[in-house]
Amino acid sequence: MQALSRAERRATCFHEAGHAVVFALGGVAVTRVAVAPEGATEWRTPSSNGRTCSDLWGLCVKAELVLPRQLLRWLMSEGALSPDGSGYAKVLESPEGQALVEALGPRQRRDIRAQMAGLLAGPLAERIFRGEAAQATVEAGPGDGAKARALAALLGDPAEFAHAARLAEVALREPARWAQVGALAAALEAAGHVEAGIRGFLPAADPAWPPAPVGGGG
């Protein structure tokens, strides 16, 4: 990895702050954000569930997606329960998997949508900060966009991915919300991590957000 420049580090701070703010808006608990020091050529930091992050310049630690036990058991039996969500697409390849997805209730579907929006908010916030077009793309490998698109498979509607990206961008561009992103990014840039007191930087959860697409399944 190339040495982390000051400009790249600052953009990474906005990336992680964007994740945190939109996750919190959707009711996904965020416990910590961290960024590598300027000039770093490698970086290791605690992630979640005892894992260590070593291939990124920044990290947003948030609550894991909670799925119904039946669906979790099926994913495990099919060898499809992978950390990056790449196995979710297998759900729709069998009648049993499709039935489990169709049994998801409105609250479970909203929770999945909130995870998608929070994942996409990181790269979107970074693009907004850089003054670039805010277009969510799927990065190669286990990137944020790829994880969000994998989650979209659980909702069974191709429109869900683009819908989550639109919701995340609209939320980030709301002036008060963008101010929260900027304040958290500044604190992260100064300290290298924000854990104690992080809730003071984040919005209250909105139980009605994110809404389903018009005509969607809840």
Side-chain angles (χ1 to χ4, degrees):
M1 298 173 72
Q2 288 186 327
L4 181 62
S5 69
R6 178 175 298 181
E8 287 292 334
R9 185 174 186 269
R10 183 162 172 74
T12 301
C13 290
F14 273 83
H15 183 120
E16 304 308 332
H19 277 315
V21 166
V22 175
F23 275 134
L25 179 63
V28 180
V30 175
T31 58
R32 178 174 175 259
V33 288
V35 64
E38 182 181 341
T41 55
E42 61 180 2
W43 184 60
R44 297 175 65 85
T45 191
S47 180
S48 58
N49 296 329
R51 296 194 294 266
T52 298
C53 170
S54 61
D55 59 350
L56 299 170
W57 287 136
L59 181 69
C60 174
V61 181
K62 48 86 176 174
E64 298 292 338
L65 175 63
V66 178
L67 297 172
R69 289 183 180 179
Q70 281 184 302
L71 181 54
L72 282 171
R73 284 198 296 266
W74 187 89
L75 286 165
M76 291 175 67
S77 68
E78 295 294 312
L81 190 62
S82 53
D84 65 357
S86 58
Y88 292 154
K90 291 190 68 173
V91 174
L92 303 181
E93 295 175 1
S94 77
E96 183 180 359
Q98 290 179 17
L100 289 170
V101 167
E102 289 170 2
L104 292 172
R107 174 58 187 271
Q108 292 164 333
R109 296 177 66 86
R110 191 206 71 85
D111 289 349
I112 292 170
R113 197 174 293 117
Q115 290 271 346
M116 292 170 59
L119 284 166
L120 293 169
L124 287 169
E126 184 174 342
R127 292 186 181 102
I128 292 171
F129 167 71
R130 293 179 185 276
E132 301 171 355
Q135 180 180 1
T137 58
V138 177
E139 302 91 341
D144 296 322
K147 291 178 183 178
R149 195 175 289 281
L151 284 172
L154 293 181
L155 297 177
D157 182 353
E160 286 277 8
F161 179 85
H163 176 65
R166 285 193 296 272
L167 290 173
E169 182 179 354
V170 169
L172 289 169
R173 289 190 182 279
E174 198 278 319
R177 200 82 64 226
W178 187 248
Q180 289 175 311
V181 173
L184 180 53
L188 178 56
E189 184 179 19
H193 69 94
V194 179
E195 185 169 1
I198 191 171
R199 289 175 62 89
F201 290 97
L202 302 176
D206 181 346
W209 193 93
V214 176

